[in-house]
């Protein structure tokens, strides 16, 4: 009865939250709405991190790479569309005389979208397979993921003629014939991003409640035990890591369509660590908490930077410290921890007595 009541409460909270988000264009300016759309794109990424960290126990500090790869794949298509069939401007400035062979297929939007998911998955599969097979985990895997960030950022900065260097890719005009600067197009992308968040959230909840979700949680709590009872943790860890990378790439696509720029700075170490903090603040192993953490953290970052341009990093850092010290389970995790206690006194004595097993059936731990 208690679990059923909590499930209904969660459903009500999710429904009200998404209704309010759907009504956001009615009371928000175009600028604020664009920011909210960007934060929702981050929420997709946060769900992916929660799946591997909160439910599987894999802390990745390199998800900025997968986010950036997805964004760059879509940005390449947008840049070619803006160039009108000619060589992109940054290539001409860098002395490139002919469109590189690996750029040419990105003239097709469908190909760009597929690669925005496939490239992050391919990189995640290679890294995940060889590290998980060798039982590298914990802090060692986190360090390896940061090494991947350093390598990727250095490569993208150094290959200026092909990637735009530190400036990245920007100055996009249209997508599938729609003007990216048009308010109606921005509104469409906002609702599209909101729909993607809802779909990803539902699929993630179904995944964690399925048999596979229970196996992932078991791997987090005791990987050796999972191995001893006949499961192969490597296969499950590689799978969920690839799923998380695909969600990061999808978030990059949604981001670049709304923000209009992607650069190596947005896939570096600091952004990658911030992505993990979104989940920590919202609550690990709570899919809704990942979404809430992404929205609250980025909204706070924007608010602090606008109101206190000199002090906002300190204020944001103080918020992180307060959450870690006083709410180690995150916002949603803390609420979920105390909510059953608030609801339990409402149970009748008869129901409470029925929940206890007979004395003879109580076994010692």
């Amino acid at each position: 009865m208690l679990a059923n009541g909590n499930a209904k409460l969660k459903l009500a909270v999710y429904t009200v939250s998404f209704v309010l988000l759907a009504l956001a264009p009615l009371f928000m300016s175009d600028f604020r709405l664009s920011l909210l759309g960007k934060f929702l794109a981050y929420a997709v990424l946060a769900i992916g991190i929660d799946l591997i960290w909160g439910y599987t126990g894999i802390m990745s500090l390199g998800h900025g790479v997968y986010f950036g790869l997805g964004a760059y794949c879509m940005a390449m298509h947008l840049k070619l569309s803006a160039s009108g069939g000619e060589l992109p401007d940054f290539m001409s400035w860098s002395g490139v005389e002919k469109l590189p062979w690996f750029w040419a297929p990105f003239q097709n939007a469908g190909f760009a979208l597929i690669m925005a998911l496939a490239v992050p998955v391919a990189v995640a599969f290679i890294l995940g397979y060889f590290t998980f097979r060798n039982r590298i985990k914990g802090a060692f895997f986190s360090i390896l993921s940061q090494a991947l960030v350093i390598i990727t950022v250095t490569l993208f900065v150094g290959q200026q003629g092909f990637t735009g260097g530190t400036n990245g890719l920007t100055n996009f005009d249209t997508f599938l014939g729609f003007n990216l600067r048009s308010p109606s197009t921005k509104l469409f992308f906002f609702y599209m991003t909101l729909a993607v968040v809802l779909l990803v959230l539902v699929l993630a909840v179904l995944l964690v409640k399925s048999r596979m979700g229970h196996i992932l949680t078991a791997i987090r709590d005791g990987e050796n035990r999972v191995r001893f009872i006949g499961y192969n943790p490597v296969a499950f860890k590689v799978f969920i890591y690839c799923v998380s990378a695909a969600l990061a790439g999808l978030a990059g696509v949604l981001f670049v369509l709304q923000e209009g720029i992607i650069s190596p700075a947005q896939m570096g170490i600091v952004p990658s660590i911030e992505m993990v903090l979104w989940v920590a603040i919202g609550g690990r192993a709570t899919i809704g908490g990942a979404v809430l953490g992404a929205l609250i953290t980025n909204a706070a970052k924007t608010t602090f930077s606008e109101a206190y341009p000199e002090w906002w990093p300190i204020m944001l850092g103080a918020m992180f410290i307060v959450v870690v010290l006083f709410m180690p389970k995150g916002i949603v995790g803390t609420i979920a921890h105390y909510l059953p206690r608030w609801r339990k006194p409402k149970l009748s004595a008869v129901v409470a007595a029925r929940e206890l097993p007979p004395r003879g059936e109580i076994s010692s731990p």
Side-chain angles (χ1 to χ4, degrees), residues 185-200:
T185 303
K186 292 180 178 294
L187 182 63
F188 170 77
F189 283 142
F190 170 79
Y191 280 117
M192 181 181 70
T193 305
L194 181 61
V196 171
V197 172
L198 179 59
L199 177 62
V200 171

Side-chain angles (χ1 to χ4, degrees), residues 3 21 35 50 64 76 93 109 118 132 135 139 147 152 173 175 188 226 245 255 274-275 279 306 327 338 356-357 359:
L21 288 172
L35 284 178
D50 196 20
M76 290 167 70
W93 302 335
F132 299 147
R135 302 187 182 183
T152 306
D173 296 327
F175 176 67
F188 170 77
V226 174
F255 172 85
E274 286 184 357
M275 294 168 185
V279 180
E306 290 178 349
M327 292 187 294
Y338 287 104
L356 296 175
R359 177 180 296 181

Side-chain angles (χ1 to χ4, degrees), residues 242-260:
C242 290
V243 169
S244 180
L247 292 178
L250 178 60
V253 172
L254 298 172
F255 172 85
V256 79
L257 287 173
Q258 298 178 90
E259 188 70 5

